[in-house]
Amino acid sequence: MPGKLKVKIVAGRHLPVMDRASDLTDAFVEVKFGNTTFKTDVYPKSLNPQWNSEWFKFEVDDEELQDEPLQITVLDHDTYSANDAIGKVYIDIDPLLYSEAATVISGWFPIYDTIHGIRGEINVVVKVDLFNDLNRFRQSSCGVKFFCTTSIPKCYRAVVIHGFVEELVVNEDPEYQWIDRIRTPRASNEARQRLISLMSGELQRKIGLKVLEMRGNAVVGYLQCFDLEGESGLVVRAIGTACTLDKLSNTSAFLPACNSPSKEMKEIPFNEDPNPNTYSSGPSTPLKNQTYSFSPSKSYSRQSSSSDTDLSLTPKTGMGSGSAGKEGGPFKTLLRQQTQSALEQREFPFFTLTTFPPGFLVHVGGVVSARSVKLLDRIHNPDEPETRDAWWAEIRQEIKSHAKALGCHAVVGYSESTSICEEVCILSASGTAAVLNPRFLQDGTMEGCLEQRLSWQPGFFSIGSEKGEVDFFPQSQDSSSLLGIEEASPPGCGFCHIPYDELNMPFPAHLTYCYNCRKQKVPDVLFTTIDLPVEAIVVGKGCLIQARLCRLKKKAQAEANATSISNLLPFMEYEVHTQLMNKLKLRGMNALFGLRIQITVGENMLMGLASATGVYLAALPTPGGIQIAGKTPNDGTYEQHISHMQKKINDTIAKNKELYEINPPELPEEIIGSPIPEPRQRSRLLRSQSESSDEVTELDLSHGKKDAFVLEIDDTDAMEDVHSLLTDVPPPSGFYSCNTEIMPGINNWTPEIQMFTAVRVSRLSNINPTNQTLNKNFNDLCENLLKSLYFKLRSMVPCCLCHVNFTVALPEDELVQIAVTAVAITYDKNQALQANKAPTEKSQQRASTDNEEQLQFPLELCSDPLSSQPFSPAKEVLEGASSHTGIPAAQRATSVDYSSFADRCNSWIELIKLKAQTIRRGSIKTTTSLEKASPLAEGYLRHRSVPSGTNSTVSVVKMTPLSFLPGAKITKYLGIINMFFIRETTSLREEGGVSGFLHAFIAEVFAMVRAHVAALGGNAVVSYIMKQCVFMENPNKNQAQCLINVSGDAVVFVRESELEVLPPQPAAAAQPTGAAGDVTT
Amino acid sequence: MSSDLDVFVGNTTLIDEEVYRLWLDGHSVAEAVARRLRGGLLEREATSVAVLQSDTRDHYRTFQMLERLLHAPPRLLQQLLFQIPPERQALLVQRYYAFDEALARELLGKKLSKGTKKELDEVSARTGVGIRSCRRQFDNFKRVFKAVEELRGPLAENIQQLFLLPPSLARDYAAIVFFANSRFETGKRRLQFLSFGDFAACAQSMMAHWSQGALAPEAAEPDGDLPKSFLQDLKELKVLVTDKDLLDQHKSLVCSALRGKISVYNELEANFKALSRALVNVGGKLTHARDVRDFFVDLVEKVIEPCRSDKWSPGDLRLFLQHYTAAPRNLPGFRHQALWERYMAAISACLLRMFHD
């Protein structure tokens, strides 16, 4: 019996009128977990019932705790007929299962009904008492932390980044079961919501188990998706990056902070030693220091034994990196060997992260992607989803082999997606091939770990700032100095250097010496799916670049359909790529970050939408312009037309360069010692690495008739293409946009943010659509959407739209749905203006010093508030007793009842005791506030104590798709938010039509996310993402249905300006409780 | 390519003050777009009509969803659906409950019933306030009226608490409720020169001096009703005009005090008895609901108009009322001085406020 879940139903407010006669409601509540249900009393005749129930206790094992959601149903009691449901609240209790996060969930939750939307609110308090479980073969993985954030979370540091974890579970979709014909839409929706909630709990637990197997304690960059395969079922799949994280805090500067007993038990053995005997030594005190004292040579043998010949896959291009690596010189071989050894054991050396600790990324090869078209069939045995697993395994293998072809051993910024239409499904995966620093990857290699930890002091972080060359690879330095080619990777350009061998390139590319260090070769253009590395040197600002494309397809069935789609895909990839390349050149830039290509399949067309952030990397050569060549040069007017067009293009490039402040320093050619690319030379087709993606379809793009530099106008289509290039309107002045975390070139953010979701569904009304008209329509749709965003947010100027994320769906024949989620962040114009005055200083500028600081000095910043905090007496007592358990001072406090465990060994008691304390602490807090009949979440109390100028009763919860909040410091991660909602209506017109319906639903989803975060004690959601928004309507029946899936990380943040004021507070908060709660040690 | 569905939802709800104003004024989306276009927004922001339409629709939808909450402003503060900064919430409420004085003037003293609502078309035509806006404002009046009808304590404070209105706006609503409750006639032709502000000020002085709350804050009766016992007591004051001796003494006291101090002394001397009779009888009639209606009509007809035709100046009136109120203190046998002063305090304030062209 590893856990006890306790739930208290306090009160309700603003309930709907359920009894027309009295205009009142007789409400009661059912609390269900697993198969156990409790009920409150009926609170008669009130719209604001005060139940103040007892504690409902569920005794469950932790497997169940992880899988099941807590289900709270509010009903109206009816003496004569069946009780009417008012609505439900699902609470994911996962955040309570690792104690670093929340200790109690307490607050007002919107009562949600899938037919009526939000109907009042209910106040609930939820707590979990976890008991320790030593069973090594258990099925639960409590304590593994999950983060949606695709970088190392701000108040943690990565000890080891283990690598890729994936899992999928399948089930039948309740919507398509026979029973659905006889039950109400509400019952069907609720069955679906509950099932998906269960499935994602199970999925998370299974991933957690994999992480534990890999000896990690966290999953970063966790991305969970649903595939609604209709008749053939429901697939929930997730990918993530397993890591071993250490919490940064002052009290445990040398100790990894683990204050959960369950976590403790897991982590210690894994960190220390693969030796199975550790269980006996694990719990001994003092725990943490031992982690470091272990011998540093643990897995050396494993490391050196591996070699290139171990490569299991020979890339089909025939230009294997295996051999290329060897020819490339000792350094590369060595580096490769080391990296490989670390990655070799892994099936897929993939990382879902997009931002990395400095030095992690050694070289970047380019974008790799793979797509495959599959026909869906019914999943016969849900317990063994072999086909889906096999499909993904196939795609991942392909990605892996592409990466190898680029001379890379790893894929970073990796993501997977699907697009389903009827029975056809396109599976896509993409990432960025990269060479990584092995030191972060060697699990169990204590040397790496140890060094990492010990050197992970501010000194370590100074890498990449002032020092030109840094002793970053102690192992590799010898070899590189011998060769004299690479004296470590110079900061700011190292990642641009090609990882593949220039004599044996996997594809034709044009190389020059790096414009920054002039020692290594770089490609002319670089495409990646990751965020701009912090150390990258950029010129000017970045901008959002999109390629948009439609392709008509004949309606077909089954295999014929799948075949026609697979035939179209390579052409789409090619065109998307060409568009991106042209638009990049048009802006005078040379690199794309955060590239995301989405191909959506509909009944009679395919749509491609690629978004990325263009920048000018100082290390790469200046891009040439775009030249237009006419096919028939003898026609005078035609010639004139061409030259007119050419002038327009040249003007646009010049204008863009000014707009984005791209004025790279002039370099004399001799120094570079490499030819500047000649625009006119067509034989030297300049293509980026991203084209490896096209290898999926084995298309030789070098024979394409248009290249990136010369646009040939040989027919009207081509003319249209050029025109469409020029239709992209730059954002109005004061606006910038990007789809990455940070806007290259802007670093003076002010704290105002506005996250939003915009959805548009448009009808393509053409009777005889052609690709061209469709393209234009689609292009207009996107441009208008952007324009309308700029208009809406005009009051925030100057600001930047960050993390602009477009998703395209084709819900019906002629309907295109575009959903955009992004955040607008204001920045200080004055500072920007100052920078303008000194363009020379600005021209060579770090990507974002702001972010750099956040990444590079987390230790100092994090520890500050705690170090200045006076030790409370209670804490000292505990500290003496619990001997370095590494619990942050803020969490130490108050009373205990652990005596029942006294027969166990000492250190155990300490741990359990501390666990009990954290739980108890929560309860004390809530009971005191309960007396005031208004239980408040921790965060709310905290929030209120912060002078925020609010006198409203609802605490403000910020939401952002970014992993950080400008001008604020994230002090705590409370857990992952992963919510799935269905909303349906049978009175569409009455609810304001489709727009009114969806508007209300999105607002409701936001409200429910905020309420959950506030109940966890948080005041923000970071890395927020709307992963799915499936909208279906049937206007004739006056019906509509929508499914939305969102996720993010609930956090507590403190404004940096308040950081100095705040530190005494936790101590002050701890003291009264410490005094009240008897320290019964 | 037409957009079937087009929504924008921010985590912090965007409120455009200009669009809110247009919505409150009852304009349709198309009218609102046209007005925004006329405002030159298109040129300033270099955007398109389609964008403006989409933006206006978004705002209108938001306002429609907010309207339910605006009907009970404390709920707006508690609700979780829209995250709106407090100062914006205050603005939303304040603007929603702000009203056109011309309209309020028309509705003063009318029963806030369905019948009145049906007449709003005419009111709209007379006042130039859009019909939809008229209906919204009427509903506001009615909602506030219903909410505080049964409540005890000071009316304005109750309204301020229930609807989170700024104090001055709450006082105006209190006046509207007071008028609707007592059903004073305000529509007569001879009352047309009085503005909403005049009546509101009168209502405030009447509530301030006459209501039970004015004497005992924990009063048993709602503030909007004038206390029955007080009205009953007013009958006692009739002695001032029915008792010939008292009337004469009163006159001589006032006249001797005012001699040489006011420009219209002769007229005062001539009219004193009529004036005094009018002033006292107005109070005496207040026990009958039918006569209550004529309170302002009587004041104008019997006090203000005669004074005006005699060319009294406001200063004259003030001095007169001052001494007229104070004099009975020195009248032998007059035992109702406290009641008299309480009565006259409100009457004087009303008269002084109403005494203009």
Side-chain angles (χ1 to χ4, degrees):
Chain A
M1 187 202 68
K4 192 189 271 179
L5 171 69
K6 299 193 288 183
V7 184
K8 186 183 178 91
I9 306 296
V10 184
R13 66 183 185 197
H14 312 321
L15 296 189
V17 169
M18 298 299 283
D19 179 4
R20 284 281 155 78
S22 65
D23 267 4
L24 289 167
T25 295
D26 305 318
F28 70 100
V29 182
E30 273 182 14
V31 185
K32 189 176 177 201
F33 190 80
N35 294 319
T36 318
T37 308
F38 291 103
K39 280 181 191 176
T40 65
D41 298 332
V42 174
Y43 194 92
K45 303 207 182 312
S46 172
L47 299 182
N48 301 293
Q50 302 287 323
W51 291 289
N52 253 320
S53 79
E54 58 187 298
W55 285 100
F56 300 124
K57 297 186 179 103
F58 301 86
E59 294 180 345
V60 280
D61 46 317
D62 42 4
E63 188 180 339
E64 214 174 346
L65 278 174
Q66 283 192 291
D67 286 6
E68 292 272 350
L70 175 67
Q71 189 178 323
I72 293 166
T73 314
V74 186
L75 298 111
D76 175 51
H77 175 76
D78 204 323
T79 323
Y80 305 108
S81 59
N83 299 327
D84 295 324
I86 295 172
K88 287 189 184 225
V89 179
Y90 291 95
I91 301 177
D92 179 11
I93 48 166
D94 215 51
L96 294 180
L97 301 183
Y98 43 94
S99 58
E100 255 171 57
T103 52
V104 62
I105 299 176
S106 164
W108 288 101
F109 291 88
I111 303 169
Y112 180 73
D113 178 69
T114 59
I115 306 293
H116 294 101
I118 290 177
R119 304 171 97 188
E121 289 126 37
I122 184 169
N123 195 308
V124 181
V125 187
V126 185
K127 293 194 285 183
V128 173
D129 288 351
L130 260 193
F131 302 102
N132 238 341
D133 187 3
L134 265 183
N135 177 10
R136 295 183 59 198
F137 304 103
R138 65 215 172 105
Q139 290 299 300
S140 84
S141 53
C142 288
V144 174
K145 291 182 286 287
F146 285 79
F147 300 92
C148 294
T149 302
T150 56
S151 55
I152 299 304
K154 291 294 182 303
C155 43
Y156 292 88
R157 66 182 187 216
V159 179
V160 184
I161 298 173
H162 299 281
F164 191 59
V165 278
E166 48 78 29
E167 186 64 80
L168 64 80
V169 292
V170 300
N171 211 316
E172 274 185 82
D173 191 337
E175 186 104 333
Y176 294 89
Q177 285 165 348
W178 66 270
I179 194 168
D180 205 58
R181 292 180 195 179
I182 54 168
R183 65 181 164 190
T184 62
R186 175 183 283 120
S188 168
N189 292 339
E190 282 174 2
R192 232 172 158 192
Q193 283 191 170
R194 198 183 119 73
L195 177 71
I196 287 185
S197 188
L198 257 173
M199 285 169 81
S200 35
E202 183 191 342
L203 192 69
Q204 218 167 311
R205 174 173 59 80
K206 285 186 168 168
I207 293 242
L209 280 172
K210 289 193 172 178
V211 172
L212 292 179
E213 256 168 49
M214 296 169 93
R215 300 176 185 140
N217 62 6
V219 183
V220 180
Y222 184 69
L223 178 72
Q224 183 190 292
C225 292
F226 300 95
D227 296 331
L228 301 167
E229 295 186 352
E231 292 281 345
S232 53
L234 188 64
V235 177
V236 185
R237 57 191 163 78
I239 55 175
T241 305
C243 294
T244 302
L245 297 183
D246 253 10
K247 191 158 170 69
L248 294 166
S249 71
N250 187 48
T251 44
S252 55
F254 291 92
L255 316 169
C258 324
N259 41 6
S260 134
S262 54
K263 191 185 146 232
E264 196 92 39
M265 296 327 295
K266 278 168 250 150
E267 199 178 65
I268 283 145
F270 299 143
N271 270 351
E272 281 173 350
D273 199 344
N275 177 0
N277 293 336
T278 27
Y279 270 103
S280 55
S281 69
S284 65
T285 45
L287 300 162
K288 296 303 164 174
N289 294 335
Q290 283 190 352
T291 325
Y292 299 91
S293 59
F294 272 87
S295 96
S297 59
K298 278 284 138 57
S299 61
Y300 241 52
S301 53
R302 210 194 303 163
Q303 183 187 343
S304 49
S305 69
S306 60
S307 78
D308 278 357
T309 47
D310 288 346
L311 277 172
S312 57
L313 268 157
T314 329
K316 50 184 164 181
T317 46
M319 297 175 269
S321 61
S323 52
K326 275 184 179 157
E327 288 157 28
F331 166 69
K332 277 184 181 165
T333 315
L334 190 63
L335 192 61
R336 187 157 292 134
Q337 272 178 3
Q338 280 164 349
T339 319
Q340 222 155 28
S341 64
L343 296 171
E344 196 68 13
Q345 300 112 0
R346 269 159 239 161
E347 196 182 0
F348 300 113
F350 298 168
F351 300 85
T352 54
L353 303 179
T354 58
T355 308
F356 306 92
F360 183 79
L361 212 55
V362 181
H363 299 305
V364 169
V367 170
V368 285
S369 79
R371 288 182 210 283
S372 123
V373 183
K374 297 286 181 192
L375 271 181
L376 298 172
D377 52 343
R378 187 168 276 279
I379 301 165
H380 294 290
N381 183 1
D383 293 329
E384 289 181 17
E386 279 155 351
T387 40
R388 302 299 183 276
D389 268 339
W391 288 354
W392 286 111
E394 203 176 276
I395 289 215
R396 290 172 192 142
Q397 283 297 354
E398 213 162 316
I399 291 278
K400 191 175 167 183
S401 70
H402 291 327
K404 282 200 174 130
L406 287 171
C408 297
H409 298 287
V411 177
V412 293
Y414 179 74
S415 67
E416 294 175 348
S417 63
T418 57
S419 172
I420 297 170
C421 179
E422 303 288 317
E423 49 189 357
V424 177
C425 174
I426 302 181
L427 310 183
S428 311
S430 71
T432 304
V435 173
L436 305 178
N437 181 351
R439 298 207 305 170
F440 288 84
L441 303 167
Q442 290 154 4
D443 56 76
T445 317
M446 281 323 293
E447 188 202 42
C449 262
L450 186 64
E451 250 176 72
Q452 202 60 57
R453 289 183 179 201
L454 294 178
S455 58
W456 202 299
Q457 302 298 330
F460 173 83
F461 282 115
S462 68
I463 288 163
S465 48
E466 287 87 22
K467 290 194 226 166
E469 291 172 355
V470 190
D471 177 14
F472 202 60
F473 306 100
Q475 312 101 308
S476 64
Q477 211 184 21
D478 289 357
S479 55
S480 56
S481 57
L482 273 172
L483 275 162
I485 39 162
E486 189 166 31
E487 286 135 29
S489 284
C493 65
F495 73 94
C496 304
H497 302 163
I498 52 163
Y500 38 86
D501 180 45
E502 67 175 295
L503 299 172
N504 197 359
M505 285 194 293
F507 47 81
H510 182 85
L511 303 178
T512 48
Y513 278 106
C514 173
Y515 276 51
N516 191 44
C517 65
R518 322 240 161 80
K519 282 168 187 150
Q520 289 282 297
K521 291 286 176 74
V522 293
D524 59 329
V525 181
L526 188 61
F527 283 17
T528 73
T529 58
I530 55 171
D531 273 319
L532 185 67
V534 175
E535 62 269 29
I537 300 169
V538 295
V539 175
K541 295 193 168 66
C543 78
L544 180 72
I545 292 178
Q546 284 192 323
R548 302 144 185 158
L549 189 65
C550 285
R551 275 283 167 272
L552 284 167
K553 162 186 93 66
K554 288 227 168 60
K555 275 195 189 178
Q557 291 300 309
E559 276 176 46
N561 194 15
T563 313
S564 69
I565 293 170
S566 349
N567 289 341
L568 275 172
L569 281 179
F571 294 99
M572 294 196 64
E573 299 252 15
Y574 173 73
E575 272 200 44
V576 162
H577 179 260
T578 311
Q579 259 192 48
L580 282 175
M581 192 64 103
N582 287 335
K583 289 188 176 179
L584 186 66
K585 303 248 179 253
L586 206 57
R587 285 168 178 81
M589 298 175 183
N590 57 19
L592 285 182
F593 286 90
L595 176 64
R596 189 166 158 265
I597 302 175
Q598 206 192 344
I599 305 253
T600 312
V601 56
E603 274 189 29
N604 56 355
M605 61 177 148
L606 287 172
M607 290 203 137
L609 179 68
S611 306
T613 301
V615 292
Y616 186 106
L617 284 178
L620 302 191
T622 314
I626 296 175
Q627 296 281 322
I628 299 180
K631 260 277 159 86
T632 45
N634 20 5
D635 188 345
T637 52
Y638 188 70
E639 198 83 319
Q640 207 179 350
H641 182 66
I642 294 285
S643 67
H644 175 70
M645 204 96 110
Q646 180 69 57
K647 189 178 172 298
K648 240 169 123 180
I649 287 180
N650 292 345
D651 287 352
T652 313
I653 294 178
K655 228 192 301 173
N656 279 329
K657 280 191 172 172
E658 198 180 319
L659 179 65
Y660 300 111
E661 295 159 26
I662 297 168
N663 32 15
E666 300 284 328
L667 290 176
E669 253 179 66
E670 317 86 69
I671 298 176
I672 301 156
S674 154
I676 299 282
E678 280 175 45
R680 267 291 197 164
Q681 216 166 342
R682 275 183 61 202
S683 59
R684 193 182 276 149
L685 175 66
L686 295 162
R687 294 162 52 248
S688 88
Q689 289 73 2
S690 73
E691 260 148 49
S692 64
S693 62
D694 294 312
E695 287 162 15
V696 179
T697 54
E698 304 191 25
L699 184 77
D700 188 359
L701 287 162
S702 56
H703 299 305
K705 60 178 176 179
K706 299 167 204 156
D707 75 38
F709 277 155
V710 183
L711 288 176
E712 229 172 56
I713 307 216
D714 48 1
D715 56 15
T716 44
D717 284 10
M719 194 65 103
E720 288 287 331
D721 285 348
V722 175
H723 273 302
S724 71
L725 261 186
L726 296 166
T727 53
D728 276 12
V729 193
S733 75
F735 272 107
Y736 287 96
S737 57
C738 63
N739 76 333
T740 46
E741 284 256 308
I742 47 159
M743 174 68 184
I746 297 181
N747 46 28
N748 39 353
W749 303 111
T750 46
E752 197 191 338
I753 64 166
Q754 167 71 289
M755 189 283 296
F756 60 85
T757 291
V759 181
R760 263 186 200 191
V761 176
S762 282
R763 194 168 290 278
L764 304 166
S765 46
N766 299 332
I767 305 151
N768 290 313
T770 62
N771 284 337
Q772 243 60 44
T773 54
L774 281 180
N775 274 348
K776 190 176 177 319
N777 281 343
F778 184 36
N779 210 33
D780 288 350
L781 183 59
C782 294
E783 283 293 321
N784 285 338
L785 186 48
L786 279 171
K787 244 191 246 170
S788 120
L789 297 182
Y790 294 135
F791 179 74
K792 288 229 174 254
L793 300 162
R794 64 193 185 282
S795 65
M796 290 181 77
V797 160
C799 81
C800 177
L801 295 188
C802 293
H803 213 285
V804 178
N805 186 11
F806 274 66
T807 23
V808 182
L810 296 162
E812 267 175 63
D813 251 5
E814 287 165 337
L815 293 182
V816 184
Q817 176 194 316
I818 301 182
V820 189
T821 298
V823 63
I825 311 181
T826 55
Y827 62 89
D828 191 343
K829 200 180 183 180
N830 295 331
Q831 282 185 40
L833 282 175
Q834 273 175 2
N836 275 340
K837 280 177 201 156
T840 40
E841 283 168 42
K842 210 188 157 161
S843 61
Q844 292 244 343
Q845 176 189 23
R846 305 255 140 209
S848 158
T849 28
D850 177 47
N851 202 48
E852 190 172 31
E853 268 168 34
Q854 284 186 354
L855 276 171
Q856 292 204 338
F857 304 101
L859 226 171
E860 290 171 306
L861 282 172
C862 256
S863 52
D864 265 346
L866 282 170
S867 64
S868 55
Q869 171 194 332
F871 283 179
S872 73
K875 195 201 122 203
E876 260 161 13
V877 173
L878 282 170
E879 197 165 53
S882 59
S883 61
H884 311 292
T885 29
I887 296 212
Q891 294 233 344
R892 299 170 171 233
T894 78
S895 75
V896 210
D897 50 350
Y898 62 94
S899 48
S900 57
F901 297 94
D903 52 339
R904 308 219 184 157
C905 86
N906 271 340
S907 59
W908 262 83
I909 293 174
E910 309 303 339
L911 294 170
I912 292 160
K913 182 183 69 188
L914 281 159
K915 173 66 184 165
Q917 279 162 5
T918 48
I919 289 170
R920 178 60 77 87
R921 186 172 147 262
S923 76
I924 286 174
K925 249 201 171 134
T926 27
T927 34
T928 46
S929 50
L930 274 176
E931 283 159 16
K932 287 179 263 160
S934 63
L936 302 163
E938 247 185 301
Y940 173 48
L941 286 173
R942 196 175 303 128
H943 186 85
R944 214 171 44 164
S945 65
V946 172
S948 60
T950 39
N951 51 359
S952 88
T953 47
V954 181
S955 58
V956 174
V957 175
K958 300 225 173 205
M959 290 167 77
T960 173
L962 307 178
S963 64
F964 67 98
L965 288 141
K969 166 126 219 70
I970 294 172
T971 55
K972 200 172 176 190
Y973 281 79
L974 299 165
I976 195 168
I977 296 281
N978 187 8
M979 297 168 102
F980 176 85
F981 298 104
I982 303 177
R983 181 87 151 78
E984 188 166 346
T985 183
T986 48
S987 51
L988 188 58
R989 270 188 299 277
E990 294 78 358
E991 290 189 35
V994 283
S995 297
F997 171 72
L998 194 63
H999 191 143
F1001 185 37
I1002 294 174
E1004 282 169 349
V1005 169
F1006 285 1
M1008 286 185 278
V1009 169
R1010 287 192 302 256
H1012 276 79
V1013 173
L1016 284 169
N1019 54 9
V1021 188
V1022 296
S1023 301
Y1024 170 82
I1025 175 172
M1026 185 167 84
K1027 289 177 295 192
Q1028 215 135 24
C1029 176
V1030 184
F1031 179 76
M1032 288 159 289
E1033 58 167 319
N1034 189 342
N1036 299 329
K1037 284 187 175 170
N1038 206 17
Q1039 285 176 345
Q1041 192 193 36
C1042 187
L1043 293 81
I1044 288 185
N1045 177 214
V1046 297
S1047 65
D1049 294 325
V1051 299
V1052 178
F1053 75 86
V1054 181
R1055 287 246 161 271
E1056 262 155 21
S1057 53
E1058 285 155 6
L1059 213 54
E1060 306 87 56
V1061 192
L1062 214 71
Q1065 262 184 346
Q1071 256 162 349
T1073 20
D1078 39 330
V1079 184
T1080 44
T1081 39
Chain B
M1 191 143 94
S2 59
S3 283
D4 291 11
L5 184 159
D6 179 7
V7 297
F8 174 101
V9 189
N11 183 38
T12 305
T13 306
L14 286 181
I15 307 282
D16 185 302
E17 289 187 40
E18 188 200 351
V19 184
Y20 189 48
R21 158 74 38 227
L22 292 168
W23 178 74
L24 287 174
D25 287 347
H27 296 293
S28 68
V29 172
E31 287 163 5
V33 170
R35 277 171 188 257
R36 294 180 83 184
L37 281 175
R38 254 177 275 154
L41 198 58
L42 214 57
E43 295 75 39
R44 233 176 357 205
E45 299 294 333
T47 189
S48 68
V49 179
V51 166
L52 211 56
Q53 268 167 347
S54 137
D55 179 65
T56 310
R57 271 192 222 109
D58 266 324
H59 283 301
Y60 266 56
R61 266 198 306 276
T62 308
F63 298 143
Q64 269 148 25
M65 284 188 262
L66 277 169
E67 189 162 24
R68 196 172 45 89
L69 298 163
L70 283 166
H71 290 168
R75 276 197 66 178
L76 183 68
L77 264 63
Q78 282 187 333
Q79 55 84 31
L80 305 175
L81 192 55
F82 299 98
Q83 186 157 277
I84 305 171
E87 68 278 3
R88 286 265 141 180
Q89 285 180 345
L91 177 120
L92 283 174
V93 174
Q94 202 175 322
R95 293 267 174 88
Y96 189 79
Y97 282 92
F99 52 83
D100 289 294
E101 294 205 344
L103 175 77
R105 172 72 184 80
E106 289 275 343
L107 294 176
L108 265 185
K110 289 220 173 87
K111 196 175 175 188
L112 298 174
S113 65
K114 281 204 179 116
T116 315
K117 197 173 178 180
K118 280 188 190 126
E119 293 162 19
L120 284 177
D121 284 335
E122 296 164 33
V123 177
S124 164
R126 272 204 299 277
T127 56
V129 179
I131 180 65
R132 268 187 275 190
S133 181
C134 280
R135 292 204 187 110
R136 180 181 58 81
Q137 296 183 37
F138 176 84
D139 288 340
N140 282 347
F141 296 154
K142 191 169 172 180
R143 195 176 313 111
V144 173
F145 179 80
K146 289 265 179 224
V148 298
E149 206 178 13
E150 307 286 313
L151 291 184
R152 291 166 190 180
L155 200 51
E157 275 174 43
N158 284 340
I159 292 171
Q160 204 179 327
Q161 233 162 49
L162 283 176
F163 292 91
L164 309 173
L165 302 179
S168 64
L169 189 56
R171 278 197 297 275
D172 283 347
Y173 267 94
I176 291 166
V177 171
F178 181 75
F179 269 77
N181 218 12
S182 306
R183 310 277 308 281
F184 295 112
E185 172 67 61
T186 62
K188 283 262 163 61
R189 176 176 267 257
R190 53 164 41 106
L191 294 183
Q192 284 311 314
F193 73 100
L194 293 170
S195 70
F196 171 80
D198 295 333
F199 282 120
C202 294
Q204 274 150 26
S205 355
M206 284 159 84
M207 278 187 283
H209 296 291
W210 293 356
S211 71
Q212 214 152 24
L215 297 181
E218 64 286 357
E221 275 178 85
D223 217 21
D225 292 330
L226 292 176
K228 290 260 150 41
S229 56
F230 169 72
L231 297 179
Q232 204 64 44
D233 292 346
L234 288 182
K235 288 191 186 301
E236 308 285 331
L237 299 177
K238 284 204 172 175
V239 72
L240 280 176
V241 287
T242 47
D243 186 318
K244 186 119 186 9
D245 284 350
L246 275 181
L247 183 60
D248 287 338
Q249 285 178 43
H250 193 184
K251 181 180 173 184
S252 66
L253 278 172
V254 173
C255 285
S256 63
L258 289 178
R259 189 182 313 231
K261 287 191 183 148
I262 58 173
S263 54
V264 288
Y265 181 76
N266 294 334
E267 291 84 346
L268 164 67
E269 205 167 22
N271 283 338
F272 182 87
K273 284 185 185 166
L275 275 178
S276 186
R277 229 173 255 127
L279 285 169
V280 173
N281 284 339
V282 162
K285 280 162 73 182
L286 287 178
T287 38
H288 303 294
R290 218 177 329 107
D291 299 326
V292 168
R293 293 186 53 92
D294 293 333
F295 178 76
F296 288 100
V297 182
D298 287 348
L299 281 185
V300 169
E301 193 177 352
K302 293 177 178 148
V303 183
I304 294 198
E305 283 178 358
C307 292
R308 206 187 282 151
S309 61
D310 288 343
K311 305 244 182 314
W312 288 43
S313 73
D316 295 338
L317 187 63
R318 177 172 292 113
L319 266 178
F320 163 71
L321 287 170
Q322 204 177 318
H323 289 97
Y324 178 73
T325 309
R329 204 176 292 156
N330 302 323
L331 288 178
F334 183 71
R335 290 167 292 119
H336 309 291
Q337 187 58 31
L339 179 70
W340 171 247
E341 279 176 12
R342 179 177 168 196
Y343 169 69
M344 279 310 292
I347 294 286
S348 307
C350 288
L351 286 172
L352 288 170
R353 174 78 202 210
M354 288 155 71
F355 192 72
H356 63 78
D357 296 326

